[in-house]
Structures are given as C-alpha cells and as structure tokens.
Coordinates of all heavy atoms in Angstrom, one line a residue:
M1 N 0.8 -1.2 0.0 CA 0.0 0.0 0.0 C 0.9 1.2 0.0 O 2.0 1.3 0.6 CB -0.9 0.0 1.2 CG -2.0 -1.0 1.2 SD -2.9 -0.9 2.7 CE -2.9 -2.6 3.2
V2 N 0.4 2.3 -0.6 CA 1.0 3.6 -0.6 C -0.1 4.5 0.1 O -1.3 4.4 -0.2 CB 1.3 4.1 -2.0 CG1 1.9 5.5 -1.9 CG2 2.3 3.1 -2.6
Y3 N 0.4 5.3 1.0 CA -0.6 6.1 1.8 C -0.1 7.6 1.9 O 1.0 7.9 1.7 CB -0.8 5.5 3.2 CG 0.4 5.5 4.0 CD1 0.8 6.6 4.9 CD2 1.2 4.4 4.1 CE1 1.9 6.5 5.6 CE2 2.4 4.3 4.8 CZ 2.7 5.4 5.6 OH 3.8 5.4 6.4
T4 N -1.1 8.4 2.2 CA -0.8 9.8 2.5 C -1.4 10.2 3.8 O -2.6 9.9 4.1 CB -1.5 10.7 1.3 OG1 -1.0 10.3 0.1 CG2 -1.2 12.2 1.5
L5 N -0.7 10.9 4.6 CA -1.2 11.4 5.9 C -1.2 12.9 5.8 O -0.3 13.6 5.2 CB -0.2 11.0 7.0 CG 0.0 9.6 7.3 CD1 1.0 9.4 8.4 CD2 -1.3 8.8 7.5
V6 N -2.3 13.5 6.4 CA -2.4 15.0 6.4 C -2.6 15.5 7.8 O -3.5 14.9 8.5 CB -3.6 15.4 5.5 CG1 -3.8 16.9 5.5 CG2 -3.4 14.9 4.0
D7 N -1.9 16.5 8.2 CA -2.1 17.2 9.4 C -2.7 18.5 9.0 O -2.0 19.5 8.6 CB -0.8 17.4 10.1 CG -0.8 18.3 11.4 OD1 -1.9 18.9 11.6 OD2 0.2 18.3 12.1
S8 N -4.0 18.6 9.1 CA -4.7 19.8 8.6 C -4.5 21.0 9.5 O -4.6 22.2 9.0 CB -6.2 19.5 8.4 OG -6.8 19.2 9.7
K9 N -4.3 20.8 10.8 CA -4.0 22.0 11.7 C -2.7 22.7 11.3 O -2.6 23.9 11.2 CB -4.0 21.5 13.1 CG -3.8 22.7 14.1 CD -3.8 22.2 15.5 CE -3.6 23.3 16.5 NZ -3.4 22.9 17.8
N10 N -1.6 21.9 11.2 CA -0.3 22.4 10.9 C 0.0 22.4 9.4 O 1.1 22.8 9.0 CB 0.7 21.6 11.6 CG 0.5 21.7 13.1 OD1 0.5 22.7 13.7 ND2 0.3 20.5 13.8
K11 N -0.9 22.0 8.6 CA -0.8 22.1 7.1 C 0.4 21.3 6.6 O 1.3 21.8 6.0 CB -0.8 23.5 6.6 CG -2.1 24.2 6.9 CD -2.2 25.5 6.3 CE -3.6 26.0 6.7 NZ -3.9 27.3 6.1
R12 N 0.5 20.0 7.0 CA 1.6 19.2 6.6 C 1.1 17.9 5.9 O 0.0 17.4 6.2 CB 2.4 18.8 7.9 CG 2.9 20.0 8.6 CD 3.5 19.7 9.9 NE 4.6 18.8 9.7 CZ 5.4 18.5 10.7 NH1 5.3 18.9 11.9 NH2 6.4 17.7 10.4
I13 N 1.9 17.4 5.0 CA 1.5 16.2 4.2 C 2.7 15.2 4.2 O 3.9 15.7 4.1 CB 1.2 16.6 2.7 CG1 0.0 17.5 2.7 CG2 0.9 15.3 1.9 CD1 -0.3 18.0 1.3
Y14 N 2.4 14.0 4.3 CA 3.4 12.9 4.3 C 3.0 11.8 3.5 O 1.8 11.4 3.5 CB 3.7 12.4 5.8 CG 4.7 11.3 5.9 CD1 6.0 11.6 5.9 CD2 4.3 10.0 5.9 CE1 7.0 10.5 6.0 CE2 5.2 8.9 6.0 CZ 6.5 9.2 6.0 OH 7.4 8.2 6.1
V15 N 3.9 11.2 2.6 CA 3.6 10.1 1.8 C 4.5 8.9 2.3 O 5.7 9.1 2.5 CB 3.9 10.4 0.3 CG1 3.6 9.1 -0.6 CG2 3.0 11.5 -0.2
G16 N 3.9 7.7 2.4 CA 4.6 6.6 2.8 C 4.1 5.3 2.2 O 3.2 5.3 1.4
E17 N 4.8 4.2 2.5 CA 4.4 2.9 2.0 C 4.5 1.9 3.1 O 5.2 2.0 4.1 CB 5.3 2.5 0.8 CG 6.8 2.4 1.1 CD 7.2 1.1 1.7 OE1 6.5 0.1 1.6 OE2 8.3 1.1 2.3
A18 N 3.7 0.8 3.0 CA 3.7 -0.2 4.0 C 3.1 -1.5 3.4 O 2.2 -1.5 2.5 CB 2.9 0.2 5.2
K19 N 3.5 -2.6 3.9 CA 2.9 -3.9 3.5 C 1.6 -4.1 4.4 O 0.6 -4.6 3.9 CB 3.9 -5.1 3.8 CG 5.0 -5.3 2.8 CD 5.8 -6.5 3.1 CE 6.9 -6.6 2.2 NZ 7.7 -7.8 2.4
D20 N 1.7 -3.7 5.6 CA 0.6 -3.8 6.6 C 0.3 -2.4 7.2 O 1.1 -2.0 8.0 CB 1.0 -4.8 7.7 CG -0.1 -5.0 8.7 OD1 -1.0 -4.2 8.8 OD2 0.0 -6.1 9.4
L21 N -0.7 -1.8 6.8 CA -1.1 -0.5 7.2 C -1.3 -0.3 8.7 O -0.9 0.6 9.3 CB -2.3 0.0 6.4 CG -2.4 1.5 6.3 CD1 -1.2 2.2 5.7 CD2 -3.6 1.9 5.5
V22 N -2.0 -1.3 9.3 CA -2.3 -1.3 10.7 C -1.0 -1.3 11.5 O -0.9 -0.5 12.4 CB -3.3 -2.4 11.1 CG1 -3.5 -2.5 12.6 CG2 -4.6 -2.3 10.4
T23 N -0.1 -2.2 11.2 CA 1.1 -2.2 11.9 C 1.9 -0.9 11.7 O 2.5 -0.4 12.7 CB 2.0 -3.4 11.4 OG1 1.3 -4.6 11.6 CG2 3.3 -3.5 12.1
R24 N 1.9 -0.4 10.5 CA 2.7 0.8 10.2 C 2.1 2.0 11.0 O 2.8 2.8 11.6 CB 2.7 1.1 8.7 CG 3.4 2.4 8.4 CD 4.9 2.3 8.7 NE 5.6 3.5 8.6 CZ 6.1 4.3 9.6 NH1 5.9 3.9 10.8 NH2 6.7 5.4 9.3
F25 N 0.8 2.1 11.0 CA 0.2 3.2 11.7 C 0.4 3.1 13.2 O 0.5 4.1 13.9 CB -1.3 3.3 11.4 CG -1.6 4.0 10.1 CD1 -0.6 4.3 9.2 CD2 -2.9 4.3 9.7 CE1 -0.9 4.9 8.0 CE2 -3.2 4.9 8.5 CZ -2.2 5.2 7.6
S26 N 0.4 1.9 13.8 CA 0.6 1.7 15.2 C 2.0 2.1 15.6 O 2.2 2.4 16.8 CB 0.2 0.3 15.6 OG 1.2 -0.6 15.1
Q27 N 2.9 2.1 14.7 CA 4.3 2.5 15.0 C 4.5 4.0 15.2 O 5.4 4.5 15.8 CB 5.3 2.0 13.9 CG 5.4 0.5 13.8 CD 6.1 0.1 12.6 OE1 6.5 0.9 11.7 NE2 6.4 -1.2 12.5
G28 N 3.5 4.8 14.7 CA 3.6 6.2 14.7 C 4.5 6.8 13.6 O 5.2 6.1 13.0
H29 N 4.4 8.1 13.5 CA 5.2 8.8 12.5 C 5.8 10.0 13.1 O 5.1 11.1 13.3 CB 4.3 9.2 11.3 CG 3.9 8.1 10.4 ND1 3.0 7.2 10.7 CD2 4.4 7.8 9.2 CE1 2.9 6.3 9.7 NE2 3.8 6.7 8.8
P30 N 7.0 10.0 13.5 CA 7.6 11.1 14.2 C 7.6 12.4 13.4 O 7.6 13.5 14.0 CB 9.0 10.7 14.5 CG 9.3 9.5 13.6 CD 8.0 8.9 13.3
I31 N 7.6 12.3 12.1 CA 7.7 13.5 11.2 C 6.3 14.2 11.2 O 6.2 15.4 11.0 CB 8.1 13.1 9.8 CG1 9.6 12.7 9.8 CG2 8.0 14.3 8.8 CD1 10.1 12.2 8.5
I32 N 5.2 13.5 11.3 CA 3.9 14.0 11.2 C 3.0 13.4 12.3 O 2.2 12.5 12.0 CB 3.3 13.9 9.8 CG1 2.0 14.6 9.6 CG2 3.2 12.4 9.4 CD1 1.5 14.8 8.2
K33 N 3.3 13.7 13.5 CA 2.6 13.1 14.7 C 1.1 13.4 14.8 O 0.4 12.5 15.3 CB 3.3 13.6 16.0 CG 4.7 13.1 16.1 CD 5.3 13.6 17.4 CE 6.8 13.2 17.5 NZ 7.4 13.8 18.7
D34 N 0.7 14.5 14.4 CA -0.7 15.0 14.6 C -1.6 14.9 13.4 O -2.5 15.7 13.2 CB -0.7 16.4 15.1 CG 0.0 16.5 16.5 OD1 -0.1 15.6 17.3 OD2 0.7 17.5 16.7
W35 N -1.3 13.8 12.5 CA -2.1 13.7 11.3 C -3.6 13.4 11.7 O -3.9 12.7 12.7 CB -1.6 12.7 10.4 CG -1.4 11.3 10.9 CD1 -0.3 10.8 11.6 CD2 -2.3 10.2 10.9 NE1 -0.5 9.5 12.0 CE2 -1.8 9.1 11.5 CE3 -3.6 10.1 10.4 CZ2 -2.4 7.9 11.7 CZ3 -4.3 8.9 10.5 CH2 -3.7 7.8 11.1
D36 N -4.5 13.9 10.9 CA -5.9 13.8 11.2 C -6.7 13.3 10.0 O -7.9 13.2 10.1 CB -6.5 15.0 11.8 CG -6.4 16.2 10.9 OD1 -5.5 16.2 10.0 OD2 -7.0 17.3 11.2
Y37 N -6.0 13.0 9.0 CA -6.6 12.5 7.7 C -5.7 11.5 7.1 O -4.5 11.8 7.1 CB -7.0 13.6 6.8 CG -7.6 13.1 5.5 CD1 -8.9 12.7 5.3 CD2 -6.7 13.1 4.4 CE1 -9.4 12.3 4.1 CE2 -7.2 12.6 3.1 CZ -8.5 12.2 3.0 OH -9.0 11.8 1.8
Y38 N -6.2 10.5 6.5 CA -5.3 9.6 5.7 C -6.0 9.1 4.5 O -7.3 9.0 4.4 CB -4.8 8.4 6.5 CG -5.8 7.4 6.9 CD1 -6.0 6.3 6.1 CD2 -6.6 7.6 8.0 CE1 -6.9 5.3 6.5 CE2 -7.5 6.6 8.4 CZ -7.7 5.5 7.6 OH -8.7 4.6 7.9
R39 N -5.2 8.6 3.5 CA -5.8 8.0 2.3 C -4.7 6.9 2.0 O -3.5 7.1 2.2 CB -5.9 9.0 1.2 CG -6.2 8.3 -0.1 CD -6.1 9.3 -1.3 NE -6.0 8.6 -2.5 CZ -7.0 7.9 -3.1 NH1 -8.2 7.8 -2.6 NH2 -6.8 7.3 -4.3
Y40 N -5.2 5.8 1.5 CA -4.3 4.7 1.1 C -4.8 4.1 -0.2 O -6.0 4.1 -0.5 CB -4.1 3.7 2.2 CG -5.3 2.8 2.5 CD1 -5.6 1.7 1.8 CD2 -6.2 3.3 3.5 CE1 -6.7 0.9 2.1 CE2 -7.3 2.5 3.8 CZ -7.6 1.3 3.1 OH -8.7 0.6 3.4
D41 N -3.8 3.6 -0.9 CA -4.1 2.9 -2.2 C -3.6 1.5 -2.1 O -2.4 1.3 -1.8 CB -3.5 3.6 -3.4 CG -4.2 4.9 -3.6 OD1 -5.3 5.0 -4.0 OD2 -3.5 6.0 -3.4
V42 N -4.4 0.5 -2.3 CA -4.0 -0.9 -2.3 C -3.5 -1.2 -3.7 O -4.3 -1.0 -4.7 CB -5.1 -1.9 -1.9 CG1 -4.7 -3.3 -2.0 CG2 -5.6 -1.5 -0.5
L43 N -2.3 -1.6 -3.9 CA -1.7 -1.8 -5.2 C -2.2 -3.2 -5.7 O -2.3 -4.1 -5.0 CB -0.2 -1.8 -5.1 CG 0.4 -0.5 -4.7 CD1 1.9 -0.6 -4.5 CD2 0.0 0.7 -5.6
P44 N -2.4 -3.3 -7.0 CA -2.7 -4.6 -7.6 C -1.5 -5.5 -7.4 O -0.3 -5.1 -7.3 CB -2.8 -4.3 -9.1 CG -3.1 -2.8 -9.2 CD -2.4 -2.2 -8.0
K45 N -1.8 -6.8 -7.2 CA -0.7 -7.8 -6.9 C 0.5 -7.6 -7.8 O 1.7 -7.7 -7.3 CB -1.3 -9.2 -7.0 CG -2.2 -9.6 -6.0 CD -1.5 -10.2 -4.8 CE -2.5 -10.7 -3.8 NZ -2.0 -10.7 -2.5
P46 N 0.4 -7.5 -9.1 CA 1.6 -7.4 -10.0 C 2.4 -6.1 -9.7 O 3.6 -6.1 -10.0 CB 1.0 -7.3 -11.4 CG -0.4 -7.8 -11.3 CD -0.8 -7.5 -10.0
L47 N 1.9 -5.1 -9.0 CA 2.6 -3.9 -8.7 C 3.2 -3.9 -7.3 O 4.1 -3.1 -7.0 CB 1.8 -2.7 -8.9 CG 1.3 -2.4 -10.3 CD1 0.4 -1.1 -10.3 CD2 2.5 -2.3 -11.3
E48 N 2.9 -4.9 -6.5 CA 3.4 -4.9 -5.1 C 4.9 -4.9 -5.0 O 5.4 -4.2 -4.1 CB 2.8 -6.1 -4.3 CG 1.3 -5.9 -4.0 CD 0.8 -7.1 -3.2 OE1 1.5 -8.1 -3.0 OE2 -0.4 -7.1 -2.9
P49 N 5.6 -5.6 -5.9 CA 7.1 -5.5 -5.8 C 7.6 -4.1 -6.1 O 8.8 -3.8 -5.7 CB 7.6 -6.4 -6.9 CG 6.4 -7.3 -7.1 CD 5.2 -6.5 -6.9
Y50 N 6.8 -3.2 -6.6 CA 7.3 -1.8 -7.0 C 6.7 -0.8 -6.0 O 6.8 0.4 -6.3 CB 6.8 -1.5 -8.4 CG 7.3 -2.5 -9.4 CD1 6.5 -3.5 -9.9 CD2 8.6 -2.5 -9.8 CE1 6.9 -4.5 -10.8 CE2 9.1 -3.5 -10.7 CZ 8.2 -4.5 -11.2 OH 8.7 -5.4 -12.0
R51 N 6.3 -1.2 -4.8 CA 5.6 -0.4 -3.8 C 6.5 0.8 -3.5 O 6.1 2.0 -3.5 CB 5.3 -1.2 -2.6 CG 4.5 -0.4 -1.5 CD 4.2 -1.3 -0.3 NE 5.4 -1.6 0.4 CZ 6.0 -2.8 0.5 NH1 5.6 -3.8 -0.1 NH2 7.1 -2.9 1.3
K52 N 7.8 0.6 -3.2 CA 8.7 1.7 -2.8 C 9.0 2.6 -4.0 O 9.1 3.8 -3.8 CB 10.0 1.1 -2.3 CG 9.8 0.4 -0.9 CD 11.1 0.0 -0.3 CE 10.8 -0.8 0.9 NZ 11.6 -0.4 2.0
T53 N 9.1 2.1 -5.2 CA 9.3 2.9 -6.3 C 8.0 3.8 -6.6 O 8.2 5.0 -6.9 CB 9.5 2.1 -7.6 OG1 10.7 1.3 -7.4 CG2 9.7 2.9 -8.8
I54 N 6.9 3.3 -6.4 CA 5.6 4.1 -6.6 C 5.6 5.2 -5.5 O 5.2 6.3 -5.8 CB 4.4 3.2 -6.6 CG1 4.4 2.3 -7.8 CG2 3.1 4.0 -6.5 CD1 3.4 1.1 -7.8
E55 N 5.9 4.8 -4.3 CA 5.9 5.8 -3.2 C 6.9 6.9 -3.5 O 6.5 8.1 -3.4 CB 6.4 5.1 -1.9 CG 6.6 6.1 -0.8 CD 7.7 5.7 0.2 OE1 8.6 4.9 -0.1 OE2 7.6 6.2 1.4
R56 N 8.1 6.6 -4.0 CA 9.1 7.7 -4.3 C 8.6 8.6 -5.5 O 8.8 9.8 -5.5 CB 10.4 7.0 -4.7 CG 11.0 6.4 -3.5 CD 12.2 5.6 -3.8 NE 13.3 6.5 -4.2 CZ 14.5 6.4 -3.7 NH1 14.8 5.4 -2.8 NH2 15.5 7.2 -4.0
M57 N 7.9 8.0 -6.4 CA 7.3 8.8 -7.5 C 6.2 9.7 -7.0 O 6.2 10.9 -7.4 CB 6.7 7.8 -8.6 CG 7.8 7.1 -9.4 SD 7.1 5.9 -10.5 CE 6.1 6.9 -11.5
M58 N 5.4 9.2 -6.1 CA 4.4 10.1 -5.5 C 5.0 11.2 -4.7 O 4.5 12.4 -4.8 CB 3.4 9.2 -4.6 CG 2.5 8.4 -5.4 SD 1.4 7.4 -4.4 CE 0.5 8.7 -3.5
I59 N 6.0 10.9 -3.9 CA 6.6 12.0 -3.2 C 7.2 13.0 -4.1 O 7.0 14.2 -3.9 CB 7.8 11.4 -2.3 CG1 7.2 10.5 -1.2 CG2 8.6 12.5 -1.7 CD1 8.2 9.6 -0.4
R60 N 7.8 12.6 -5.1 CA 8.4 13.6 -6.1 C 7.3 14.4 -6.8 O 7.5 15.6 -6.9 CB 9.2 12.8 -7.2 CG 9.8 13.7 -8.2 CD 10.9 14.5 -7.7 NE 11.4 15.4 -8.7 CZ 11.6 16.7 -8.7 NH1 11.2 17.3 -7.6 NH2 12.0 17.4 -9.7
S61 N 6.2 13.8 -7.1 CA 5.1 14.5 -7.7 C 4.5 15.5 -6.7 O 4.2 16.7 -7.1 CB 4.0 13.6 -8.1 OG 4.4 12.8 -9.2
Y62 N 4.4 15.1 -5.4 CA 3.8 16.0 -4.4 C 4.8 17.2 -4.2 O 4.4 18.3 -4.0 CB 3.6 15.3 -3.1 CG 2.3 14.6 -3.0 CD1 1.7 13.9 -4.1 CD2 1.6 14.5 -1.8 CE1 0.5 13.3 -4.0 CE2 0.4 13.8 -1.6 CZ -0.1 13.2 -2.7 OH -1.3 12.5 -2.6
A63 N 6.1 16.9 -4.3 CA 7.1 18.0 -4.1 C 7.0 19.1 -5.1 O 7.3 20.2 -4.9 CB 8.5 17.4 -4.1
M64 N 6.5 18.7 -6.3 CA 6.4 19.7 -7.3 C 5.1 20.6 -7.1 O 5.1 21.7 -7.4 CB 6.2 19.0 -8.7 CG 6.1 20.0 -9.9 SD 5.4 19.3 -11.4 CE 3.7 19.4 -11.0
L65 N 4.2 20.0 -6.3 CA 2.9 20.8 -6.0 C 2.9 21.5 -4.7 O 2.3 22.6 -4.6 CB 1.8 19.8 -6.0 CG 1.5 19.0 -7.3 CD1 0.4 17.9 -7.1 CD2 1.1 19.9 -8.4
F66 N 3.6 21.0 -3.7 CA 3.6 21.6 -2.4 C 5.0 22.0 -2.0 O 6.0 21.5 -2.4 CB 3.1 20.6 -1.4 CG 1.7 20.1 -1.7 CD1 1.5 18.9 -2.2 CD2 0.6 20.9 -1.4 CE1 0.2 18.4 -2.5 CE2 -0.7 20.5 -1.7 CZ -0.9 19.3 -2.3
Q67 N 5.0 23.0 -1.1 CA 6.3 23.4 -0.5 C 7.0 22.2 0.1 O 6.3 21.3 0.5 CB 6.1 24.5 0.6 CG 5.4 25.7 0.1 CD 5.0 26.6 1.3 OE1 5.8 26.8 2.2 NE2 3.8 27.1 1.3
N68 N 8.3 22.2 0.2 CA 9.0 21.1 0.7 C 10.3 21.6 1.3 O 10.7 22.7 1.1 CB 9.3 20.0 -0.4 CG 10.1 20.6 -1.5 OD1 11.3 20.7 -1.4 ND2 9.4 20.9 -2.6
K69 N 10.9 20.7 2.1 CA 12.1 21.1 2.8 C 13.4 20.8 2.1 O 14.5 21.0 2.6 CB 12.1 20.4 4.2 CG 11.0 20.9 5.1 CD 11.0 20.2 6.4 CE 9.8 20.8 7.2 NZ 9.9 20.3 8.6
K70 N 13.3 20.4 0.8 CA 14.4 20.0 0.0 C 14.8 21.1 -1.0 O 15.7 20.9 -1.8 CB 14.2 18.7 -0.6 CG 14.2 17.5 0.3 CD 15.5 17.3 1.0 CE 15.5 16.1 1.9 NZ 16.8 15.9 2.5
G71 N 14.0 22.1 -1.1 CA 14.3 23.2 -2.0 C 13.9 22.9 -3.4 O 14.4 23.5 -4.4
I72 N 13.1 21.9 -3.6 CA 12.6 21.5 -5.0 C 11.6 22.6 -5.4 O 10.7 22.9 -4.7 CB 12.0 20.1 -5.0 CG1 13.2 19.1 -4.7 CG2 11.4 19.8 -6.4 CD1 12.7 17.7 -4.5
P73 N 11.8 23.1 -6.6 CA 10.9 24.1 -7.1 C 9.4 23.6 -7.1 O 9.2 22.5 -7.5 CB 11.3 24.4 -8.5 CG 12.8 24.0 -8.5 CD 12.9 22.9 -7.6
T74 N 8.5 24.4 -6.7 CA 7.1 24.0 -6.5 C 6.2 25.0 -7.2 O 6.5 26.1 -7.5 CB 6.8 23.9 -5.0 OG1 5.4 23.6 -4.9 CG2 7.0 25.2 -4.3
R75 N 5.0 24.5 -7.5 CA 4.0 25.3 -8.0 C 3.3 26.1 -6.9 O 2.5 27.0 -7.2 CB 2.9 24.5 -8.8 CG 3.5 23.8 -10.0 CD 3.7 24.8 -11.1 NE 4.3 24.1 -12.3 CZ 5.2 24.6 -13.0 NH1 5.6 25.8 -12.8 NH2 5.6 24.0 -14.1
G76 N 3.5 25.8 -5.7 CA 2.9 26.5 -4.6 C 1.4 26.6 -4.6 O 0.8 27.6 -4.4
L77 N 0.8 25.4 -4.8 CA -0.7 25.4 -5.0 C -1.4 25.7 -3.6 O -2.6 26.0 -3.6 CB -1.1 24.1 -5.5 CG -0.7 23.7 -6.9 CD1 -1.2 22.4 -7.3 CD2 -1.1 24.8 -7.9
S78 N -0.7 25.5 -2.5 CA -1.3 25.8 -1.2 C -0.2 26.1 -0.2 O 1.0 26.1 -0.6 CB -2.2 24.6 -0.8 OG -1.3 23.6 -0.3
D79 N -0.6 26.4 1.0 CA 0.4 26.6 2.0 C 0.7 25.3 2.8 O 1.4 25.4 3.9 CB 0.0 27.8 2.9 CG -1.4 27.6 3.5 OD1 -2.1 26.7 3.1 OD2 -1.9 28.4 4.3
Y80 N 0.3 24.2 2.3 CA 0.7 22.9 2.9 C 2.1 22.6 2.6 O 2.6 23.1 1.5 CB -0.2 21.8 2.4 CG -1.5 21.6 3.2 CD1 -2.5 22.5 3.0 CD2 -1.6 20.6 4.1 CE1 -3.7 22.3 3.7 CE2 -2.8 20.5 4.8 CZ -3.8 21.4 4.6 OH -5.0 21.2 5.3
V81 N 2.8 21.9 3.4 CA 4.2 21.5 3.2 C 4.4 20.0 3.2 O 3.8 19.3 4.1 CB 5.1 22.1 4.4 CG1 6.5 21.7 4.2 CG2 5.0 23.6 4.4
L82 N 5.1 19.5 2.2 CA 5.4 18.1 2.2 C 6.6 17.9 3.1 O 7.6 18.5 3.0 CB 5.8 17.7 0.8 CG 6.2 16.3 0.5 CD1 5.1 15.3 0.8 CD2 6.8 16.1 -0.8
V83 N 6.4 17.0 4.1 CA 7.4 16.9 5.2 C 8.3 15.6 5.0 O 9.1 15.4 5.9 CB 6.8 16.9 6.6 CG1 6.1 18.2 6.8 CG2 5.8 15.7 6.8
N84 N 8.2 14.9 3.9 CA 9.0 13.8 3.7 C 10.5 14.2 3.7 O 10.9 15.2 3.1 CB 8.7 13.1 2.4 CG 7.5 12.3 2.4 OD1 6.4 12.8 2.4 ND2 7.6 11.0 2.6
A85 N 11.3 13.4 4.4 CA 12.8 13.7 4.5 C 13.5 13.3 3.2 O 14.5 14.0 2.8 CB 13.4 13.0 5.7
K86 N 13.1 12.3 2.5 CA 13.7 11.8 1.3 C 12.8 12.1 0.1 O 11.7 11.7 0.0 CB 13.9 10.3 1.4 CG 14.8 9.8 2.5 CD 14.9 8.3 2.4 CE 15.8 7.8 3.6 NZ 15.8 6.3 3.6
I87 N 13.4 13.0 -0.7 CA 12.7 13.4 -2.0 C 13.8 13.3 -3.1 O 14.8 14.0 -3.0 CB 12.2 14.8 -1.9 CG1 11.2 15.0 -0.7 CG2 11.5 15.2 -3.2 CD1 10.7 16.4 -0.5
D88 N 13.5 12.4 -4.1 CA 14.4 12.3 -5.2 C 14.4 13.6 -6.0 O 13.3 14.1 -6.3 CB 14.0 11.1 -6.1 CG 14.2 9.8 -5.3 OD1 14.9 9.7 -4.3 OD2 13.5 8.8 -5.7
K89 N 15.5 14.0 -6.5 CA 15.5 15.1 -7.4 C 15.5 14.7 -8.8 O 16.2 13.7 -9.2 CB 16.8 16.0 -7.1 CG 16.7 16.7 -5.8 CD 17.8 17.7 -5.7 CE 17.6 18.4 -4.3 NZ 18.5 19.5 -4.2
G90 N 14.7 15.3 -9.6 CA 14.6 15.1 -11.0 C 14.8 13.8 -11.5 O 14.9 13.2 -12.5

C-alpha cells in the first residue's frame, strides 16, 4: 500500500508505503505526529514489488505541487508543506 497522511491543523503532508497499514500506523510517524486524515491505495498484486518505487514517484510529484524542505521548485498550490525527508531530485 501507498498512503498519504495529512495534518490539517499544521498544514503538513506525508507520503509513505507499507505492507501492513495497521502495523505501520501503530508505530507512529515522528515527522507528522498529529495527522488527522489519511488515504491509502492498495496496489494490484503485480505492482506490489514496486511499492517503494511508486511511493518515491508520488513523493516527487507532491514535491512539485507543495512546499518542501528540500528546495525543490514548486507550483505553490497551497500553504501545505510536504514533510518527507527523502525526496528524489529530477
């Protein structure tokens, strides 16, 4: 699965991946502790081996849309910030 967490109060977004979402969520997310909304996508079986690659692509796409801490040029569509620590450049 690939998921997105949103902290609407602090206007933060985080993208992640997990084999087991319940286990992953129970571990907590130190980067985005106060998330109050989530969305997840269950990948088709043939795409499961590419889960991390898909996550990285989503993070890169979000970095183009939202402010980020890596200095990647953004369209600045909102005042939300992508808080992922790892963002691939170009």
Side-chain angles (χ1 to χ4, degrees):
M1 287 180 231
V2 178
Y3 62 88
T4 303
L5 302 178
V6 177
D7 173 350
S8 61
K9 181 180 178 186
N10 297 303
K11 298 186 176 182
R12 300 169 65 169
I13 298 172
Y14 176 85
V15 177
E17 58 82 20
K19 285 184 182 180
D20 180 343
L21 203 57
V22 173
T23 300
R24 180 63 187 109
F25 281 8
S26 67
Q27 294 171 351
H29 284 79
I31 293 175
I32 189 166
K33 293 180 183 178
D34 299 319
W35 58 272
D36 55 347
Y37 174 81
Y38 71 95
R39 172 189 162 71
Y40 66 91
D41 293 292
V42 178
L43 300 174
K45 290 267 187 210
L47 294 180
E48 286 178 3
Y50 305 102
R51 186 179 72 248
K52 290 183 186 232
T53 301
I54 293 168
E55 173 211 24
R56 292 172 73 130
M57 289 174 58
M58 286 180 61
I59 292 168
R60 178 69 180 127
S61 293
Y62 277 36
M64 187 196 81
L65 298 173
F66 300 104
Q67 300 173 45
N68 59 80
K69 297 181 178 188
K70 294 293 184 177
I72 294 171
T74 178
R75 296 287 181 217
L77 297 180
S78 78
D79 50 355
Y80 276 77
V81 176
L82 178 66
V83 296
N84 286 77
K86 295 179 182 177
I87 303 173
D88 296 336
K89 292 192 176 187

